[in-house]
Amino acid sequence: MGCIRVGKGPVLVLVHGFLSGLSYWDKQIESLSTRFEVIAMDLPGYGGETQQTGLDTVAGFARTILEQLDKLGVKNFHLVGHSMGGMIAQEIALQAPERVNRLVLYGTGPMGELPGRFEPLKVSMEKVEKDGTEEAKHYTVASWFKQGDKDANFEPGMELAKDVSLQTYINGLNAMAGWSAVGRLDQIQSHTLVIWGDIDRSYIWQQPYALWQEIQNSSLAVMPLCSHNAHLENPQLFNQLLYDFLTHE
């Protein structure tokens, strides 16, 4: 797996989402590596790992990350997951609760079928199976920003998305659709921060609300005037939220 490891201090693991890669975290790595040892990985099939075919289960992605951390000699860590990566982070916290110190679930939820998404996952799957992924990648990445494809971060996002294969794309949708943490959230033991952009079109309010209500030791931060990629739209606020949460006694 492509991986970056930089900084000194408590280990902080960053998990990206669908059609993304570790470079999505550049603004967080630069800021937070002054206080933490930051580890970011490309999931199989994404970022610098597009020669592989992405997995089709969230649990499989979670095991892959835990195995990579074992190879790196990392036992305990703070964990941040975005979007599909937030589902993976939930699964890691459920599979290995003794290893996750603090948990940040951002732009994500426990309902893998993504109710209220800008279009149902089934529709997305039917479109790409019929017409390929080019158009779907464009409107999907655009939907992650308040300003759509006019956002300065849209083109770098598309550069990551364009190399994701059709099979990895389909597998990613199947991984999300076939996963749920509903009914298991009370098993998450880590002190958790839920972050949500208030105009997120991928994960509507029902999703972060469920995390906040069902995870026993959880806090909520709503980022105003931000969409699904709030960490790129307002990195200063996002990074401050992470820093305050992870360093609070």
Side-chain angles (χ1 to χ4, degrees), residues 14-75:
L14 306 175
V15 185
H16 70 78
F18 183 61
L19 296 182
S20 305
L22 65 82
S23 63
Y24 248 50
W25 297 114
D26 282 352
K27 293 180 173 65
Q28 284 65 55
I29 294 168
E30 179 182 5
S31 173
L32 295 168
S33 61
T34 60
R35 178 64 187 266
F36 301 93
E37 180 180 1
V38 181
I39 298 175
M41 307 175 194
D42 284 321
L43 295 172
Y46 301 90
E49 300 294 328
T50 53
Q51 74 280 4
Q52 300 185 50
T53 299
L55 306 181
D56 62 0
T57 68
V58 168
F61 279 122
R63 287 192 297 271
T64 297
I65 290 174
L66 287 168
E67 289 168 2
Q68 180 69 8
L69 291 172
D70 287 340
K71 292 177 182 178
L72 294 173
V74 174
K75 183 176 181 181

Side-chain angles (χ1 to χ4, degrees), residues 178-193:
W179 176 86
S180 174
V182 174
R184 298 190 291 157
L185 294 176
D186 61 352
Q187 299 173 32
I188 292 178
Q189 300 174 14
S190 305
H191 187 185
T192 302
L193 174 64

Side-chain angles (χ1 to χ4, degrees), residues 17-215:
F18 183 61
L19 296 182
S20 305
L22 65 82
S23 63
Y24 248 50
W25 297 114
D26 282 352
K27 293 180 173 65
Q28 284 65 55
I29 294 168
E30 179 182 5
S31 173
L32 295 168
S33 61
T34 60
R35 178 64 187 266
F36 301 93
E37 180 180 1
V38 181
I39 298 175
M41 307 175 194
D42 284 321
L43 295 172
Y46 301 90
E49 300 294 328
T50 53
Q51 74 280 4
Q52 300 185 50
T53 299
L55 306 181
D56 62 0
T57 68
V58 168
F61 279 122
R63 287 192 297 271
T64 297
I65 290 174
L66 287 168
E67 289 168 2
Q68 180 69 8
L69 291 172
D70 287 340
K71 292 177 182 178
L72 294 173
V74 174
K75 183 176 181 181
N76 299 103
F77 48 89
H78 300 310
L79 179 62
V80 178
H82 176 223
S83 195
M84 183 178 77
M87 298 177 177
I88 297 166
Q90 291 171 66
E91 194 64 35
I92 290 171
L94 289 163
Q95 287 187 21
E98 73 286 352
R99 298 182 66 174
V100 180
N101 297 327
R102 295 200 175 182
L103 176 65
V104 179
L105 301 175
Y106 152 51
T108 192
M111 306 165 199
E113 292 187 350
L114 305 189
R117 181 176 179 259
F118 65 89
E119 71 178 16
L121 291 177
K122 183 179 180 182
V123 171
S124 294
M125 205 173 305
E126 290 171 349
K127 285 182 178 180
V128 300
E129 287 176 336
K130 178 183 177 183
D131 302 321
T133 62
E134 184 175 355
E135 181 181 358
K137 287 173 180 175
H138 186 282
Y139 68 70
T140 297
V141 175
S143 75
W144 296 341
F145 297 98
K146 178 185 175 183
Q147 295 181 325
D149 59 12
K150 303 298 190 294
D151 191 285
N153 294 289
F154 170 78
E155 288 299 336
M158 280 301 299
E159 284 298 310
L160 283 171
K162 73 177 184 180
D163 291 332
V164 173
S165 71
L166 172 61
Q167 192 59 57
T168 291
Y169 193 107
I170 291 171
N171 285 357
L173 296 181
N174 277 323
M176 291 185 279
W179 176 86
S180 174
V182 174
R184 298 190 291 157
L185 294 176
D186 61 352
Q187 299 173 32
I188 292 178
Q189 300 174 14
S190 305
H191 187 185
T192 302
L193 174 64
V194 179
I195 302 178
W196 182 66
D198 66 352
I199 50 176
D200 190 336
R201 295 177 59 203
S202 296
Y203 292 80
I204 61 171
W205 170 238
Q206 179 185 6
Q207 292 263 40
Y209 181 77
L211 295 173
W212 179 42
Q213 290 296 295
E214 299 298 328
I215 297 175

